[in-house]
Short mmCIF file of all heavy atoms in Angstrom, two decimals:
data_model
loop_
_atom_site.label_atom_id
_atom_site.label_comp_id
_atom_site.label_asym_id
_atom_site.label_seq_id
_atom_site.Cartn_x
_atom_site.Cartn_y
_atom_site.Cartn_z
N ASP A 20 135.25 17.19 13.07
CA ASP A 20 134.83 16.73 11.74
C ASP A 20 135.36 15.32 11.49
O ASP A 20 134.64 14.45 11.00
CB ASP A 20 135.35 17.69 10.67
CG ASP A 20 135.00 17.22 9.27
OD1 ASP A 20 133.79 17.13 8.97
OD2 ASP A 20 135.93 16.92 8.50
N TRP A 21 136.61 15.07 11.83
CA TRP A 21 137.19 13.74 11.62
C TRP A 21 136.51 12.68 12.49
O TRP A 21 136.40 11.53 12.08
CB TRP A 21 138.68 13.75 11.90
CG TRP A 21 139.47 14.49 10.86
CD1 TRP A 21 139.09 14.78 9.58
CD2 TRP A 21 140.77 15.01 11.02
NE1 TRP A 21 140.09 15.47 8.93
CE2 TRP A 21 141.13 15.63 9.79
CE3 TRP A 21 141.69 15.05 12.06
CZ2 TRP A 21 142.36 16.24 9.59
CZ3 TRP A 21 142.91 15.66 11.85
CH2 TRP A 21 143.24 16.24 10.64
N LEU A 22 136.06 13.07 13.68
CA LEU A 22 135.35 12.09 14.53
C LEU A 22 134.07 11.60 13.85
O LEU A 22 133.61 10.50 14.13
CB LEU A 22 135.01 12.70 15.89
CG LEU A 22 136.14 12.70 16.91
CD1 LEU A 22 135.73 13.50 18.15
CD2 LEU A 22 136.56 11.30 17.29
N LEU A 23 133.52 12.40 12.97
CA LEU A 23 132.33 12.00 12.22
C LEU A 23 132.69 11.33 10.90
O LEU A 23 132.15 10.28 10.55
CB LEU A 23 131.45 13.22 11.94
CG LEU A 23 130.92 13.97 13.16
CD1 LEU A 23 130.29 15.28 12.74
CD2 LEU A 23 129.95 13.12 13.93
N THR A 24 133.60 11.93 10.15
CA THR A 24 133.83 11.47 8.78
C THR A 24 134.72 10.24 8.68
O THR A 24 134.51 9.42 7.79
CB THR A 24 134.42 12.60 7.92
OG1 THR A 24 135.64 13.07 8.51
CG2 THR A 24 133.43 13.73 7.77
N VAL A 25 135.71 10.10 9.54
CA VAL A 25 136.61 8.95 9.42
C VAL A 25 135.88 7.64 9.73
O VAL A 25 135.98 6.68 8.95
CB VAL A 25 137.88 9.12 10.28
CG1 VAL A 25 138.73 7.85 10.28
CG2 VAL A 25 138.70 10.30 9.76
N PRO A 26 135.12 7.53 10.83
CA PRO A 26 134.36 6.29 11.02
C PRO A 26 133.39 6.02 9.87
O PRO A 26 133.24 4.86 9.45
CB PRO A 26 133.61 6.52 12.34
CG PRO A 26 134.46 7.50 13.08
CD PRO A 26 135.02 8.41 12.01
N LEU A 27 132.76 7.06 9.33
CA LEU A 27 131.86 6.85 8.19
C LEU A 27 132.61 6.35 6.95
O LEU A 27 132.12 5.48 6.23
CB LEU A 27 131.10 8.14 7.86
CG LEU A 27 130.03 8.54 8.85
CD1 LEU A 27 129.46 9.92 8.51
CD2 LEU A 27 128.92 7.51 8.89
N LEU A 28 133.79 6.87 6.74
CA LEU A 28 134.61 6.39 5.63
C LEU A 28 134.94 4.91 5.80
O LEU A 28 134.89 4.13 4.84
CB LEU A 28 135.90 7.21 5.53
CG LEU A 28 136.94 6.71 4.53
CD1 LEU A 28 136.42 6.83 3.11
CD2 LEU A 28 138.24 7.47 4.69
N LEU A 29 135.26 4.52 7.02
CA LEU A 29 135.58 3.11 7.28
C LEU A 29 134.36 2.22 7.07
O LEU A 29 134.48 1.11 6.54
CB LEU A 29 136.15 2.96 8.69
CG LEU A 29 137.51 3.62 8.89
CD1 LEU A 29 137.91 3.60 10.35
CD2 LEU A 29 138.58 2.97 8.02
N VAL A 30 133.20 2.71 7.45
CA VAL A 30 131.96 1.95 7.21
C VAL A 30 131.77 1.76 5.71
O VAL A 30 131.44 0.66 5.25
CB VAL A 30 130.74 2.67 7.84
CG1 VAL A 30 129.43 2.06 7.36
CG2 VAL A 30 130.83 2.61 9.36
N GLU A 31 132.00 2.82 4.93
CA GLU A 31 131.86 2.71 3.48
C GLU A 31 132.87 1.74 2.88
O GLU A 31 132.54 0.95 2.01
CB GLU A 31 132.03 4.09 2.83
CG GLU A 31 130.90 5.03 3.14
CD GLU A 31 131.18 6.45 2.67
OE1 GLU A 31 132.33 6.75 2.25
OE2 GLU A 31 130.26 7.27 2.74
N LEU A 32 134.12 1.80 3.37
CA LEU A 32 135.14 0.88 2.86
C LEU A 32 134.79 -0.58 3.16
O LEU A 32 134.94 -1.45 2.30
CB LEU A 32 136.51 1.22 3.45
CG LEU A 32 137.22 2.40 2.85
CD1 LEU A 32 138.44 2.78 3.67
CD2 LEU A 32 137.64 2.10 1.42
N VAL A 33 134.31 -0.83 4.35
CA VAL A 33 133.93 -2.20 4.72
C VAL A 33 132.73 -2.65 3.88
O VAL A 33 132.66 -3.81 3.47
CB VAL A 33 133.64 -2.30 6.23
CG1 VAL A 33 133.00 -3.63 6.59
CG2 VAL A 33 134.94 -2.11 7.02
N ALA A 34 131.83 -1.74 3.57
CA ALA A 34 130.65 -2.09 2.79
C ALA A 34 131.00 -2.58 1.39
O ALA A 34 130.32 -3.44 0.84
CB ALA A 34 129.70 -0.91 2.70
N VAL A 35 132.09 -2.08 0.80
CA VAL A 35 132.45 -2.49 -0.55
C VAL A 35 133.23 -3.80 -0.61
O VAL A 35 133.53 -4.29 -1.69
CB VAL A 35 133.26 -1.39 -1.31
CG1 VAL A 35 132.48 -0.12 -1.38
CG2 VAL A 35 134.63 -1.21 -0.71
N LEU A 36 133.52 -4.37 0.54
CA LEU A 36 134.33 -5.59 0.55
C LEU A 36 133.54 -6.85 0.23
O LEU A 36 134.12 -7.92 0.13
CB LEU A 36 135.02 -5.75 1.91
CG LEU A 36 136.06 -4.70 2.25
CD1 LEU A 36 136.65 -4.96 3.62
CD2 LEU A 36 137.15 -4.65 1.20
N ALA A 37 132.23 -6.77 0.10
CA ALA A 37 131.39 -7.93 -0.21
C ALA A 37 131.59 -9.05 0.81
O ALA A 37 131.74 -10.22 0.45
CB ALA A 37 131.64 -8.42 -1.63
N LEU A 38 131.57 -8.67 2.08
CA LEU A 38 131.72 -9.64 3.16
C LEU A 38 130.35 -9.98 3.74
O LEU A 38 129.39 -9.26 3.53
CB LEU A 38 132.61 -9.06 4.27
CG LEU A 38 134.02 -8.64 3.86
CD1 LEU A 38 134.68 -7.89 5.00
CD2 LEU A 38 134.85 -9.85 3.46
N THR A 39 130.31 -11.04 4.50
CA THR A 39 129.07 -11.39 5.20
C THR A 39 128.78 -10.32 6.24
O THR A 39 129.68 -9.59 6.66
CB THR A 39 129.18 -12.76 5.89
OG1 THR A 39 130.18 -12.66 6.92
CG2 THR A 39 129.54 -13.86 4.90
N ARG A 40 127.54 -10.25 6.67
CA ARG A 40 127.17 -9.26 7.71
C ARG A 40 128.00 -9.48 8.98
O ARG A 40 128.43 -8.52 9.61
CB ARG A 40 125.68 -9.39 8.05
CG ARG A 40 124.79 -8.92 6.95
CD ARG A 40 124.22 -7.58 7.33
NE ARG A 40 123.22 -7.19 6.36
CZ ARG A 40 123.27 -6.07 5.70
NH1 ARG A 40 124.24 -5.23 5.91
NH2 ARG A 40 122.33 -5.77 4.83
N LYS A 41 128.23 -10.73 9.33
CA LYS A 41 128.99 -11.04 10.53
C LYS A 41 130.44 -10.53 10.40
O LYS A 41 130.98 -9.93 11.32
CB LYS A 41 128.98 -12.55 10.79
CG LYS A 41 129.67 -12.95 12.08
CD LYS A 41 129.56 -14.44 12.31
CE LYS A 41 130.28 -14.82 13.59
NZ LYS A 41 130.22 -16.25 13.84
N ALA A 42 131.04 -10.76 9.24
CA ALA A 42 132.41 -10.30 9.00
C ALA A 42 132.47 -8.77 8.98
O ALA A 42 133.41 -8.17 9.52
CB ALA A 42 132.95 -10.88 7.71
N GLN A 43 131.49 -8.14 8.35
CA GLN A 43 131.44 -6.67 8.34
C GLN A 43 131.32 -6.12 9.75
O GLN A 43 132.02 -5.18 10.11
CB GLN A 43 130.26 -6.18 7.49
CG GLN A 43 130.46 -6.30 6.02
CD GLN A 43 129.27 -5.76 5.23
OE1 GLN A 43 128.20 -5.48 5.78
NE2 GLN A 43 129.45 -5.63 3.93
N SER A 44 130.44 -6.73 10.53
CA SER A 44 130.25 -6.28 11.91
C SER A 44 131.54 -6.43 12.71
O SER A 44 131.92 -5.52 13.46
CB SER A 44 129.12 -7.07 12.55
OG SER A 44 128.93 -6.67 13.87
N ARG A 45 132.22 -7.54 12.55
CA ARG A 45 133.48 -7.78 13.26
C ARG A 45 134.51 -6.71 12.90
O ARG A 45 135.17 -6.14 13.77
CB ARG A 45 134.02 -9.18 12.92
CG ARG A 45 135.34 -9.52 13.58
CD ARG A 45 135.88 -10.87 13.12
NE ARG A 45 136.11 -10.96 11.68
CZ ARG A 45 137.20 -10.49 11.05
NH1 ARG A 45 138.14 -9.89 11.72
NH2 ARG A 45 137.33 -10.63 9.74
N LEU A 46 134.62 -6.41 11.62
CA LEU A 46 135.56 -5.38 11.18
C LEU A 46 135.22 -4.01 11.73
O LEU A 46 136.09 -3.27 12.19
CB LEU A 46 135.59 -5.31 9.65
CG LEU A 46 136.51 -6.25 8.93
CD1 LEU A 46 136.37 -6.09 7.43
CD2 LEU A 46 137.94 -6.05 9.35
N LEU A 47 133.93 -3.68 11.68
CA LEU A 47 133.53 -2.36 12.17
C LEU A 47 133.76 -2.21 13.66
O LEU A 47 134.12 -1.12 14.13
CB LEU A 47 132.07 -2.08 11.79
CG LEU A 47 131.83 -1.89 10.30
CD1 LEU A 47 130.35 -1.72 10.01
CD2 LEU A 47 132.64 -0.72 9.76
N TRP A 48 133.58 -3.29 14.41
CA TRP A 48 133.83 -3.23 15.86
C TRP A 48 135.32 -3.07 16.15
O TRP A 48 135.69 -2.63 17.23
CB TRP A 48 133.27 -4.46 16.57
CG TRP A 48 131.81 -4.32 16.87
CD1 TRP A 48 130.78 -4.94 16.23
CD2 TRP A 48 131.22 -3.47 17.85
NE1 TRP A 48 129.58 -4.52 16.76
CE2 TRP A 48 129.82 -3.62 17.77
CE3 TRP A 48 131.73 -2.58 18.80
CZ2 TRP A 48 128.94 -2.92 18.58
CZ3 TRP A 48 130.85 -1.89 19.62
CH2 TRP A 48 129.47 -2.07 19.50
#
């Protein structure tokens, strides 16, 4: 369950940061 939900949570957190797509992509990687 955590293998699914924790990465999704991080994607959601990065999405609220109002960063550029490039910066969001860098963070997610």
